Amino acid sequence: MGGGDPLDGVEIWKSEHGVPHWHYITYGFTELYEKESCDPDESGYGFELTFRLRRGVEDSPPVWPVSLLQNLARYVFSSGNAFGPGHHINCNGPIALETDTLLTALGFCVDPELGALDTPNGHFIFLQAVAITEDEMDAMMCWNGEKFLALIAHFLPLCVAGLERDSLLRTPTFYDAWRAGMERDGSSTAFLHMDELGLEWADGRGTLRIGAGHAKTLAHMLKARVGKGQTLFLQGQQRSVQFQPGARPAFVCAEQIPKLTLTGEALEELCGLLTPHAGTYGMKVMPLTVELVPTRITDRDGNVINIIE
């Protein structure tokens, strides 16, 4: 109805369920007034977002979650990429600006109280944005997104966000449950974006170049995907690489997307070389050299705030 924000509005409810918290609910991802899309079964993008924030002694709800939800809407409306259960997004900084919270990413699950709704303009779900830490996002990618968020809900009722909380991976029972789930199920994430990614072939030997800051996550992902008989696709700024399981180690670089075929032995050796330290390491079971280069961590404005060497 006017204004510079993409959403029509955000309602904020005072909830006592689980723990006292503020419950934010968006209006604008769906077709609120009349049917405009050609899909009769789904309303708009098929979801409205919700967010839950732990409530203290304050009488009025904090406004920053509204800005967070509006920014998510800007991303969806500009890119056309919709969110769904089990998805995640890196916020590249604290979810609440100018705070020192460790919560820098979001996972998405069906809101446990609101669920789904059928309307004259189509069906949609209430999709809750769950605040997570960077290492929790990496762990979520290495397992199944929906199962990971269900595990969080077991430790944090209704996945209510608290800006002060530490990573749940520091809780031994949570970590053990995640590790067991990852080893049992593998990863549901088939695609991984990496800024520092290169692959070259010369003199009968390949060189795989990745950022040292992504090495540990890649090792987990390879075991959870290739180790479970599935492929893993890496996308860099100028290069793509596909890892796949096979009976013999191989490196095919003649195709548009280079393919690395890993046996169980090759997989174990490669993952053993993927340490969070820069360096150059040669594999023995296949003609491949792994080059780990320093990873530069930047803030939202592109300023380098840390270098992993």
Side-chain angles (χ1 to χ4, degrees):
M1 305 301 289
D5 291 322
L7 294 175
D8 287 43
V10 178
E11 270 193 358
I12 309 172
W13 295 81
K14 193 174 185 180
S15 177
E16 303 295 338
H17 297 170
V19 296
H21 66 276
W22 301 105
H23 194 186
Y24 299 74
I25 305 170
T26 68
Y27 290 82
F29 288 100
T30 58
E31 295 166 290
L32 299 173
Y33 310 109
E34 59 184 21
K35 189 66 181 174
E36 297 178 355
S37 70
C38 58
D39 187 347
D41 298 323
E42 188 171 78
S43 178
Y45 285 96
F47 66 87
E48 291 288 356
L49 290 178
T50 74
F51 183 78
R52 298 174 186 267
L53 178 66
R54 183 184 294 273
R55 194 174 78 245
V57 297
E58 70 274 9
D59 295 325
S60 300
V63 178
W64 66 260
V66 177
S67 298
L68 176 67
L69 294 169
Q70 292 282 9
N71 285 333
L72 291 175
R74 289 186 179 90
Y75 166 76
V76 172
F77 296 165
S78 63
S79 68
N81 297 327
F83 297 120
H87 291 187
H88 66 272
I89 187 171
N90 190 340
C91 298
N92 295 318
I95 60 170
L97 294 178
E98 299 180 358
T99 68
D100 58 358
T101 181
L102 296 177
L103 302 177
T104 59
L106 297 168
F108 298 90
C109 64
V110 177
D111 189 292
E113 290 186 309
L114 300 183
L117 194 63
D118 288 313
T119 76
N121 291 334
H123 180 84
F124 73 91
I125 60 175
F126 288 97
L127 198 60
Q128 182 175 337
V130 179
I132 55 178
T133 64
E134 182 178 4
D135 61 343
E136 288 170 354
M137 183 188 69
D138 291 340
M140 179 178 172
M141 293 166 54
C142 294
W143 188 21
N144 176 284
E146 293 185 74
K147 291 183 178 180
F148 185 83
L149 295 175
L151 180 62
I152 285 184
H154 181 74
F155 285 78
L156 300 175
L158 298 178
C159 293
V160 174
L163 293 180
E164 74 289 346
R165 82 167 178 87
D166 200 354
S167 169
L168 288 171
L169 291 166
R170 295 179 180 271
T171 303
T173 51
F174 183 95
Y175 180 88
D176 292 343
W178 162 72
R179 186 86 186 195
M182 179 183 64
E183 293 177 352
R184 179 187 66 246
D185 303 327
S187 171
S188 60
T189 304
F191 177 92
L192 182 62
H193 178 80
M194 305 181 71
D195 289 333
E196 301 108 343
L197 176 64
L199 187 60
E200 300 173 354
W201 180 264
D203 300 326
R205 190 172 185 88
T207 299
L208 174 66
R209 185 180 301 106
I210 64 172
H214 303 296
K216 185 176 180 181
T217 298
L218 179 58
H220 282 313
M221 291 288 291
L222 285 170
K223 290 182 178 180
R225 291 291 299 181
V226 179
K228 294 294 183 180
Q230 298 176 304
T231 60
L232 176 65
F233 183 84
L234 302 187
Q235 178 64 58
Q237 294 181 346
Q238 297 180 335
R239 170 65 75 181
S240 301
V241 182
Q242 178 177 304
F243 292 88
Q244 60 188 21
R248 294 190 301 272
F251 182 8
V252 179
C253 62
E255 302 180 17
Q256 184 176 5
I257 300 178
K259 295 181 180 179
L260 285 170
T261 301
L262 303 176
T263 62
E265 183 182 7
L267 175 64
E268 287 299 320
E269 182 181 10
L270 176 58
C271 291
L273 299 178
L274 295 174
T275 62
H277 301 287
T280 301
Y281 311 92
M283 292 185 64
K284 298 178 181 178
V285 300
M286 63 185 300
L288 183 68
T289 297
V290 179
E291 183 180 350
L292 301 180
V293 299
T295 298
R296 289 168 173 78
I297 308 299
T298 60
D299 59 18
R300 298 187 181 202
D301 299 321
N303 301 312
V304 177
I305 58 177
N306 188 24
I307 299 179
I308 299 176
E309 298 182 305

